Amino acid sequence: MLNFNFQNPTKINFGPEEIKTISKEIPLDARVLIVYGGGSIKGNGVYQQVIDALKEHTYFEFSGIEPNPTYDTLMKAQTIIKAEKIDYLLAVGGGSVVDGAKFIAAAALFEGDDPWDILAKQQTFTKALPIGAVLTLPATGSESNGNSVVTRNGNKLPFSSPLVRPLFAVLDPGVTLSLSDRQIGNGVVDAFVHTIEQYLTYNVNGKVQDRFSEGLLQTLIEEGPKALAPETKDDLDVRANIMWSATMALNGLIGAGVPQDWSTHMIGHELTGAFGIDHARTLSIVLPAVMKVRREQKREKLLQYASRVWQINEGDDNTRIDQAIRLTEQFFEKMQVPTRLSDVNLGSSDLDLLVERLAQHGMTALGEKGDITLDISREILTQAL
Ligand code: NZQ
Ligand code: ZN
């Protein structure tokens, strides 16, 4: 196992009626900015629950954070933050809203020239506004990690800091009942790929991490399709298991002390930046290709994955790996997400732009050993055609 430091201070308030707890989590004298997206929270009653809980608080609102939040939208929040002396952010929404709140929080107290440098130059910062979150879409893990992804002019860039990790997160599985099938599928697949990217590398004998990861993968494989099936769609236990899996997949626990390979995400970000494809749908396209192109480097873990996650124990090594990759693709198909670039109308003529963008963004040494060069990324994209 590798050395690690692990601390996750985000308090999780999980279950029905837990939105009420925000009244106690946020100090009464705070000047709160509620940040949210395009209005789904008004249709499903979440907004009303938040407003009811904050009736003793002083609060303001900033809405319109779009999926794959943009720098231009997020910077607009700075006007109200200054005018109203906001000192606390409450993000109510999915990963885009929580990620957006993180950038807003850092930009509000940024001492450098341009907050975009936090992303473009990975400039560090020493202060950020405190954040709480009411999560409405289980997928990203953003509610209890320090990561955020922001887009500007097609450049989709991540940053990370413990200063923007939410202090608390409310996870009420009932609020996910209003999600469309598309967002349910996206969320399950995103959480699945987060787990895989901290698991499918090389063996360091991290038994706890491996078995936690395998448990999360199996839970998502079992419960994900139930959230799409008419007879089990409204089952709150199904939703609860998906929600908790998604949080656990990217709260730092399973990745502590093991190698990680975020190449699927980094290549996927270019697909979203250049062509606007939903985040999770980029991952379901890229991951099977990564498994195929990196099968020698990942051989031992692919065999472990085949055996422990899919119970494939018969046949020679190559056959078992092929079956595991095929079952992964079939699981994605069940979750109604694409597995090929051609499924989203992209072809070989689009690869130059994607590889160029990877180069521009410094994504030239990806993977658990930093040996996925631009040529190998091109091979992965070619495999995904
Ligand atoms: O904007 P509203 O009206 O709220 O609608 C949203 C949005 O249109 C809707 N939605 C959310 N909750 C709903 C709902 N609709 C009905 N009922 C509900 N309960 O769903 C749509 C998509 O929301 P979004 O927040 O964009 O989805 P997601 O949670 O998948 O977040 C994706 C973003 O997170 C980033 C992605 O790159 C992408 O920008 N990621 C963040 C990570 C992190 N912070 O650790 C890691 C991830 O790998 C990912 O990169
Ligand atoms: Zn993701």
Side-chain angles (χ1 to χ4, degrees):
M1 204 186 299
L2 311 176
N3 287 14
F4 65 88
N5 308 106
F6 175 68
Q7 184 179 28
N8 187 326
T10 303
K11 181 178 176 189
I12 303 288
N13 296 345
F14 193 99
E17 307 293 321
E18 291 292 326
I19 292 178
K20 286 192 182 114
T21 64
I22 62 178
S23 63
K24 297 202 179 64
E25 298 297 348
I26 304 176
L28 210 48
D29 59 357
R31 295 178 67 78
V32 185
L33 185 65
I34 304 172
V35 299
Y36 58 99
S40 71
I41 62 167
K42 294 207 167 152
N44 61 12
V46 171
Y47 175 83
Q48 197 54 48
Q49 290 185 62
V50 167
I51 298 304
D52 290 348
L54 292 182
K55 60 179 183 294
E56 309 287 332
H57 284 75
T58 305
Y59 66 83
F60 304 85
E61 295 182 24
F62 178 79
S63 65
I65 297 180
E66 60 279 79
N68 309 306
T70 64
Y71 171 85
D72 292 346
T73 300
L74 301 174
M75 287 307 286
K76 288 185 189 145
Q78 300 305 327
T79 312
I80 186 166
I81 288 177
K82 286 199 181 73
E84 302 299 347
K85 300 188 171 48
I86 299 295
D87 56 15
Y88 203 107
L89 299 183
L90 179 65
V92 186
S96 294
V97 169
V98 183
D99 279 15
K102 291 174 180 177
F103 182 72
I104 294 171
L109 304 182
F110 188 61
E111 287 170 333
D113 297 335
D114 178 358
W116 181 243
D117 291 344
I118 295 171
L119 296 133
K121 298 184 183 163
Q122 293 291 300
Q123 194 161 326
T124 52
F125 50 91
T126 53
K127 300 183 275 193
L129 294 175
I131 302 171
V134 176
L135 186 73
T136 64
L137 198 175
T140 60
S142 188
E143 65 280 6
S144 77
N145 68 38
N147 309 333
S148 167
V149 194
V150 177
T151 300
R152 190 181 191 185
N153 301 332
N155 297 299
K156 186 172 181 187
L157 302 177
F159 78 95
S160 191
S161 164
L163 294 171
V164 295
R165 190 193 291 266
L167 300 178
F168 71 88
V170 177
L171 273 64
D172 174 352
V175 311
T176 72
L177 291 175
S178 58
L179 286 169
S180 63
D181 284 359
R182 183 182 183 103
Q183 296 305 341
I184 292 169
N186 283 356
V188 168
V189 168
D190 194 22
F192 186 90
V193 179
H194 293 159
T195 309
I196 286 278
E197 296 207 82
Q198 298 163 87
Y199 169 78
L200 201 66
T201 56
Y202 56 88
N203 193 3
V204 293
N205 210 8
K207 293 194 169 190
V208 175
Q209 296 91 326
D210 279 5
R211 288 193 162 109
F212 262 113
S213 295
E214 288 152 1
L216 292 174
L217 295 171
Q218 286 180 313
T219 304
L220 291 163
I221 290 165
E222 276 170 27
E223 302 300 289
K226 291 185 196 164
L228 294 178
E231 58 283 8
T232 39
K233 216 176 184 349
D234 294 340
D235 185 329
L236 283 177
D237 283 336
V238 168
R239 300 303 180 118
N241 279 306
I242 291 173
M243 202 166 205
W244 190 223
S245 297
T247 300
M248 291 294 287
L250 202 49
N251 67 359
L253 183 76
I254 62 168
V258 294
Q260 304 186 12
D261 167 15
W262 291 96
S263 56
T264 298
H265 265 71
M266 295 309 131
I267 297 171
H269 285 172
E270 302 305 346
L271 278 163
T272 304
F275 301 109
I277 299 163
D278 293 1
H279 171 64
R281 289 162 181 252
T282 69
L283 309 177
S284 56
I285 291 168
V286 177
L287 179 69
V290 168
M291 287 175 161
K292 289 171 196 164
V293 171
R294 305 301 280 172
R295 68 189 286 147
E296 288 315 318
Q297 294 78 4
K298 294 181 184 293
R299 173 167 287 270
E300 198 183 346
K301 271 304 190 61
L302 275 166
L303 286 166
Q304 183 177 322
Y305 170 66
S307 170
R308 294 201 195 162
V309 175
W310 295 108
Q311 288 77 49
I312 302 167
N313 297 306
E314 305 289 319
D316 63 25
D317 288 6
N318 279 331
T319 310
R320 282 183 277 149
I321 290 174
D322 286 341
Q323 279 177 2
I325 297 174
R326 186 67 206 121
L327 285 168
T328 307
E329 288 171 330
Q330 281 172 3
F331 167 60
F332 290 162
E333 285 155 14
K334 264 196 212 164
M335 296 314 301
Q336 300 168 14
V337 295
T339 55
R340 294 267 162 196
L341 286 169
S342 53
D343 294 337
V344 294
N345 300 320
L346 295 179
S348 47
S349 60
D350 299 304
L351 301 196
D352 283 349
L353 174 66
L354 293 165
V355 175
E356 214 172 277
R357 292 273 179 97
L358 282 166
Q360 261 169 28
H361 298 145
M363 302 295 165
T364 53
L366 300 173
E368 60 270 31
K369 290 197 169 150
D371 56 356
I372 299 187
T373 58
L374 287 177
D375 284 346
I376 298 174
S377 287
R378 183 184 287 277
E379 199 183 328
I380 290 166
L381 286 162
T382 305
Q383 179 64 247
L385 282 170

